[in-house]
Amino acid sequence: MKLTAAQALVAWLVAQRSETLDGREVPLFPAVFGIFGHGNVLGLGTALYERRDELQVWRGHTEEGMALAAVGYAKATHRRQVGVATSSIGPGALNMVTAAGVAHANRLPLLLLPGDTFTGRAPDPVLQQVEHFGDATVTVNDAFRAVSRYFDRITRPEQLICTLPQAVRVLTDPADAGPVVLALPQDVQAESYDFPDALFVPVVHRLARPRPDQRALAEAATTLHAARRPLLVLGGGVRYSGAGHTVLEFAERHGIPIVETTAGRTLVPHDHPLYAGPLGITGSASANAMAAEADVVLAVGTRLQDFTTASWTVFAPDVRLVTINVARFDAVKHGAFAVVGDADATVRELAEQPGEWRLDPEWTARAVALRSTWDAHIDKLRAPTPGMPSYAQVVGAVNDLSGPTDYVMTASGGLPGELVGGWRATGGAPTMDVEYGFSCMGYELAGAWGAAMAHTDGVVTTLLGDGSYLMLNSELFSAAFAGHPFVAVVCDNDGYAVIARLQEGQGGAPFNNFYANCLTTQEHPPRVDFAGHAAALGCSVFTAAELGEFRDAYGRARVAAAAESRPAVVVVRTQPSAWTEAGAWWEVGVPEHLPGRADYDETKPRQLRYLRGVNRT
């Protein structure tokens, strides 16, 4: 089949299929987000036009935003479908590097197809080409290498025959999932080759479920059987494996209390009798208290990052840590006893290990008692007060008006702490996306566009601060133009409030975060009209100044978004210094002359570094 390299690539994309967690067959690559320039418009652009009835192409307005939308799509489909983003060489390609970092940090599949410079080099230097004096083979696309799971530059059309299987391997691998970058030189895109027909035969990619080593499994079971106060930590890997019900059944059988990481949030219904709350800095005092008392921690599908572990101060000094993870890289961290395998398959086999055991009911009941205390604390934070609402009150109102199939998102600033720590899940399916691997400002709106395309059986709501809105808002228009509805709640508190909180909380001077502490030559600096701006981008807009108004505005926005098939934006002024505190420590570099250094010096010695000596039975 004689095709250009671009035509062959698009034909292959169309042929790839995927199987969802519930067994449905869907396109592996359901959509391409594209901005065309001279480096991709005639090659890849023409090929996409020819197959436009089989592969949807959505126009974005920033390359970063498009790629973040593709990331949001992948998260909403639990990594079963992959968004594609393409740009020309130069600034368009480099704009996507940040999105690649988001996908890499969060272990989410993303396919990026940036244009590249001419392999023939006859017209060099072409428009947007950055020349490297000491290495003629380097282009700006090499910047993707640090944030790619797989990178290739296609310098001959036939290279696709070898590269495409490797690309799909990474995109569908439960351990290695992440961004794939195929750089496409402008001249190579248009070159033809006789490709084998078999390359374009439809293929269904199904979730691989690696089984654990039986010796490791038996030792993990022995450790658990001997535990008096075990704790089950559920991470994002439980979500992607579809193992939520399996781990709940395992916990119920033995009476093991459960906590969730940021990526594992909403796996467990809030009122479950074993649920102790979310773990870590942005989690809950209840889960952190359980972690401090646990003698064995069984961490399933989590990389145990610093916000989950309170910079490794949340666990008891003599804790025995057992990890179940499909990625050996994550499983062996901090000397944990590693059981490498798919979360669902491994927990099922762990449940079949010999020996019946059940924990002391006092330990099981402690989870409910501590969580009830935390719930009462959250209730106080959510209670109506006059004047501007707090983040906790905004989150509470959104929570109250959301149903079990709705989907909620955030990424940066103070809202992750409010959403992770205060949200009460009503269903048993994952319905939250808190991008806190890269904590990328701007993901909230662009990612919501992708999530709205994928999550069509409920309302998608994204919450963000004024800083994130100003960082990246153009995909509001992309979603409005394309007809993809979601609700965006913009909390305006006059600056980068959560960083100001960190700065001032450690004794630093207020500087360059709140607008009141920033350099300006204006006696009366302007304020942003977020409502007017969102309306100009084609969105329905609602405003609120106090909690009652916000509840009404958010309720109307939900209706408007669905009815008008476009984003609805709710703008609300919020308190700048009211937060939900879980009482956990976070290691940041504190200079010796700041007051916060004393707490740093006191807490740092409690930090666990390596557990290998205490987790062997």
Side-chain angles (χ1 to χ4, degrees):
M1 187 180 296
K2 189 171 186 178
L3 300 170
T4 66
Q7 287 174 322
L9 174 57
V10 172
W12 178 83
L13 292 174
V14 170
Q16 307 310 300
R17 309 289 293 174
S18 178
E19 187 176 84
T20 64
L21 285 173
D22 59 4
R24 293 179 295 112
E25 185 180 313
V26 295
L28 178 62
F29 302 103
V32 176
F33 299 87
I35 293 177
F36 296 131
H38 67 87
N40 66 348
V41 65
L42 296 177
L44 188 58
T46 297
L48 288 168
Y49 172 78
E50 293 167 348
R51 305 297 292 266
R52 63 192 182 280
D53 293 334
E54 300 163 277
L55 182 58
Q56 295 179 330
V57 178
W58 302 99
R59 171 182 157 156
H61 292 84
T62 65
E63 292 85 359
E64 178 188 352
M66 293 189 313
L68 289 175
V71 174
Y73 197 110
K75 183 68 175 283
T77 60
H78 315 308
R79 302 201 303 198
R80 295 302 174 271
Q81 293 182 280
V82 182
V84 184
T86 180
S87 75
S88 186
I89 185 62
L94 286 180
N95 277 348
M96 297 194 295
V97 172
T98 298
V102 172
H104 195 287
N106 290 281
R107 314 290 208 268
L108 292 169
L110 169 68
L111 178 58
L112 298 179
L113 304 175
D116 212 325
T117 56
F118 283 77
T119 56
R121 301 183 185 173
D124 285 7
V126 297
L127 179 67
Q128 299 182 321
Q129 181 175 350
V130 174
E131 296 179 280
H132 296 263
F133 300 164
D135 189 344
T137 66
V138 173
T139 76
V140 296
N141 284 334
D142 288 277
F144 283 107
R145 292 181 184 273
V147 286
S148 299
R149 291 283 188 177
Y150 184 82
F151 177 93
D152 197 2
R153 179 175 284 112
I154 307 302
T155 57
R156 292 180 60 86
E158 60 265 36
Q159 289 174 351
L160 288 172
I161 299 172
C162 294
T163 281
L164 293 178
Q166 297 300 327
V168 79
R169 169 188 63 83
V170 172
L171 294 170
T172 61
D173 190 285
D176 291 342
V180 168
V181 179
L182 302 182
L184 305 173
Q186 184 176 162
D187 49 350
V188 175
Q189 291 181 44
E191 292 178 7
S192 298
Y193 181 77
D194 287 323
F195 288 92
D197 293 348
L199 184 63
F200 312 114
V201 173
V203 177
V204 179
H205 301 275
R206 295 180 173 88
L207 174 67
R209 296 194 181 276
R211 261 52 182 178
D213 177 80
Q214 293 301 303
R215 292 168 299 177
L217 197 67
E219 188 165 349
T222 300
T223 302
L224 278 173
H225 292 182
R228 296 177 59 245
R229 299 180 306 279
L231 186 67
L232 185 57
V233 181
L234 306 186
V238 176
R239 171 181 183 163
Y240 302 133
S241 175
H245 292 299
T246 299
V247 294
L248 270 181
E249 289 176 359
F250 179 78
E252 290 165 352
R253 177 179 173 184
H254 302 292
I256 308 176
I258 306 167
V259 299
E260 295 173 322
T261 72
T262 297
R265 281 296 270 122
T266 67
L267 281 164
V268 183
H270 182 78
D271 59 358
H272 194 282
L274 293 173
Y275 184 55
L279 183 66
I281 298 166
T282 55
S284 61
S286 54
N288 293 341
M290 295 291 290
E293 299 175 22
D295 58 355
V296 172
V297 169
L298 176 60
V300 185
T302 171
R303 60 197 181 108
L304 294 172
Q305 59 124 232
D306 67 336
F307 261 70
T308 295
T309 64
S311 297
W312 286 93
T313 63
V314 77
F315 300 122
D318 59 348
V319 70
R320 288 174 292 168
L321 179 61
V322 178
T323 58
I324 293 175
N325 206 297
V326 73
R328 184 177 294 276
F329 179 89
D330 292 316
V332 302
K333 287 177 178 175
H334 288 269
F337 181 78
V339 183
V340 180
D342 169 72
D344 189 73
T346 302
V347 174
R348 287 181 186 275
E349 293 188 22
L350 183 61
E352 295 170 357
Q353 291 294 301
E356 285 296 327
W357 55 281
R358 189 168 179 84
L359 295 172
D360 186 332
E362 288 188 11
W363 175 243
T364 299
R366 185 149 174 72
V368 175
L370 287 171
R371 197 199 71 224
S372 296
T373 301
W374 178 254
D375 286 349
H377 173 64
I378 295 296
D379 287 340
K380 289 181 180 179
L381 296 179
R382 290 182 173 188
T385 54
M388 290 188 296
S390 66
Y391 275 7
Q393 290 171 327
V394 168
V395 168
V398 173
N399 201 168
D400 289 344
L401 294 171
S402 296
T405 63
D406 291 338
Y407 194 79
V408 64
M409 306 176 62
T410 194
S412 60
L415 282 162
E418 308 299 326
L419 208 60
V420 174
W423 190 265
R424 295 169 179 173
T426 56
T431 53
M432 181 183 289
D433 176 6
V434 176
E435 194 288 285
Y436 225 45
F438 218 48
S439 189
C440 180
M441 295 179 71
Y443 175 80
E444 297 95 335
L445 293 176
W449 179 26
M453 295 174 64
H455 192 86
T456 57
D457 58 350
V459 175
V460 173
T461 297
T462 185
L463 296 98
L464 66 157
D466 52 302
S468 281
Y469 184 96
L470 291 174
M471 191 76 71
L472 186 63
N473 53 57
S474 53
E475 303 323 319
L476 272 176
F477 176 71
S478 301
F481 180 86
H484 296 125
F486 60 87
V487 179
V489 176
V490 180
C491 299
D492 180 8
N493 56 18
D494 267 348
Y496 302 138
V498 77
I499 295 300
R501 167 198 183 191
L502 173 63
Q503 182 182 58
E504 297 176 51
Q506 297 296 325
F511 177 62
N512 207 47
N513 285 308
F514 283 120
Y515 289 122
N517 307 124
C518 295
L519 183 65
T520 176
T521 61
Q522 300 290 328
E523 182 178 358
H524 300 289
R527 282 191 57 82
V528 177
D529 179 2
F530 292 103
H533 187 270
L537 292 179
C539 302
S540 301
V541 176
F542 304 85
T543 60
E546 51 86 27
L547 185 58
E549 289 180 0
F550 174 75
R551 291 181 65 91
D552 177 66
Y554 176 67
R556 289 187 290 131
R558 290 170 58 91
V559 174
E564 300 172 11
S565 293
R566 58 175 176 158
V569 176
V570 183
V571 180
V572 56
R573 290 276 287 160
T574 51
Q575 296 178 27
S577 57
W579 310 102
T580 299
E581 301 277 4
W585 185 68
W586 184 32
E587 181 173 5
V588 293
V590 183
E592 291 185 355
H593 66 280
L594 291 183
R597 179 68 184 212
D599 178 68
Y600 177 92
D601 290 337
E602 180 184 347
T603 310
K604 176 72 175 174
R606 302 205 307 263
Q607 195 172 44
L608 303 182
R609 296 299 304 273
Y610 195 73
L611 304 174
R612 189 179 184 90
V614 297
N615 71 358
R616 293 292 189 251
T617 57

